[in-house]
Amino acid sequence: QLSAMEMMAVDPLSFVIAPRFWATIICMPILVLIFMILAIYGGYLVGVVWLGVDSGAFWGNMQESVNFYADIVNGLLKAMIFGVV
């Protein structure tokens, strides 16, 4: 396909490769954010629903132990870099 595109004077880099590159840069952080939310919900499900931990204690410890910049922003930045790679 790439050779055929070159024969038709269409740049295969901008037509095939660039959209995939930008899609991974955009989609990887979104997927990581979705899975971070699912991980917190899974921890809530196991801790509060199955093990009977107090809901207030769970959220209090969650807010105390999760650092927004160190955990969430770093994870999203790593996902974006992984998308580039």
Side-chain angles (χ1 to χ4, degrees):
Q1 285 182 347
L2 298 179
S3 297
M5 290 177 75
E6 287 176 356
M7 291 298 292
M8 293 187 297
V10 175
D11 183 24
L13 183 67
S14 65
F15 192 73
V16 176
I17 298 171
R20 292 181 185 180
F21 175 73
W22 288 110
T24 57
I25 290 175
I26 293 169
C27 290
M28 284 299 291
I30 294 171
L31 285 172
V32 166
L33 187 63
I34 290 170
F35 287 121
M36 283 181 184
I37 292 169
L38 286 174
I40 292 171
Y41 178 71
Y44 178 82
L45 183 71
V46 170
V48 175
V49 176
W50 289 350
L51 298 177
V53 175
D54 182 46
S55 179
F58 176 81
W59 289 116
N61 285 330
M62 177 69 71
Q63 290 175 351
E64 190 176 303
S65 63
V66 174
N67 185 355
F68 180 76
Y69 181 74
D71 296 327
I72 296 174
V73 174
N74 248 357
L76 294 174
L77 185 64
K78 287 179 187 179
M80 192 169 57
I81 291 171
F82 182 72
V84 170
V85 171

